Amino acid sequence: LHRLQLLHRLLLLHRLLLLHRLLLLHRLLLLHRLLLLLRLQLLLRLLLLLHLLLLHRLLLLLRLQLLLRLLLLLHRLQLLHRLLLLLLRLLLLLHRLLLLLRLLLLLRLLLLLRLLLLLR
């Protein structure tokens, strides 16, 4: 009877030990899952950060492209302005030339008139 009781206690102790091991294993599995979730969360944060950095680069490139377009437009306007100034100078020269031609014509007319007066 005493041996049976000892055997019974031993079996109970063994069961308790097995249960304890199972609980430890369960805790380790839970800890492992938690670590996997934390890794996943960290990975998602890193992906989000990378996405934000790429978006930031894209915005900078768009700003740069807009700035380059504005510079090109400004350059074209400057060229147009120069062209208009040249045309204005040409018109002014043409105007002076016409004035000189008028003056020459007037002088000729005066000369002719004088000649006519002298011939009389």
Side-chain angles (χ1 to χ4, degrees):
L1 182 68
H2 181 69
R3 283 186 186 174
L4 279 177
Q5 283 178 346
L6 281 176
L7 190 59
H8 182 65
R9 285 184 189 167
L10 190 61
L11 282 174
L12 284 177
L13 191 60
H14 186 68
R15 272 191 196 162
L16 190 60
L17 192 60
L18 278 178
L19 187 59
H20 184 66
R21 284 185 185 172
L22 280 175
L23 284 175
L24 277 179
L25 187 61
H26 184 67
R27 281 186 188 168
L28 284 177
L29 282 175
L30 286 178
L31 190 61
H32 183 68
R33 282 187 188 169
L34 183 63
L35 285 176
L36 285 178
L37 283 175
L38 287 176
R39 270 193 210 163
L40 185 63
Q41 189 180 11
L42 183 63
L43 186 63
L44 285 176
R45 283 185 183 175
L46 285 175
L47 283 175
L48 182 64
L49 186 62
L50 182 66
H51 182 68
L52 288 176
L53 282 175
L54 289 176
L55 194 61
H56 181 68
R57 278 190 187 170
L58 182 65
L59 286 176
L60 285 178
L61 283 175
L62 287 176
R63 271 192 210 161
L64 186 63
Q65 188 181 11
L66 184 63
L67 187 62
L68 286 175
R69 283 184 181 174
L70 285 175
L71 284 174
L72 184 63
L73 183 64
L74 185 64
H75 181 69
R76 287 180 182 164
L77 286 176
Q78 193 176 16
L79 289 178
L80 184 65
H81 180 256
R82 287 181 185 170
L83 184 64
L84 288 175
L85 282 178
L86 282 175
L87 285 175
L88 189 62
R89 285 182 189 160
L90 282 176
L91 284 176
L92 190 60
L93 285 175
L94 188 62
H95 179 68
R96 287 182 186 167
L97 187 62
L98 287 175
L99 285 178
L100 284 175
L101 285 177
R102 265 194 211 164
L103 187 61
L104 282 175
L105 192 59
L106 190 59
L107 284 175
R108 261 193 199 172
L109 285 176
L110 285 176
L111 260 170
L112 281 176
L113 193 59
R114 191 170 184 195
L115 281 176
L116 281 179
L117 286 177
L118 283 178
L119 286 177
R120 275 187 190 191

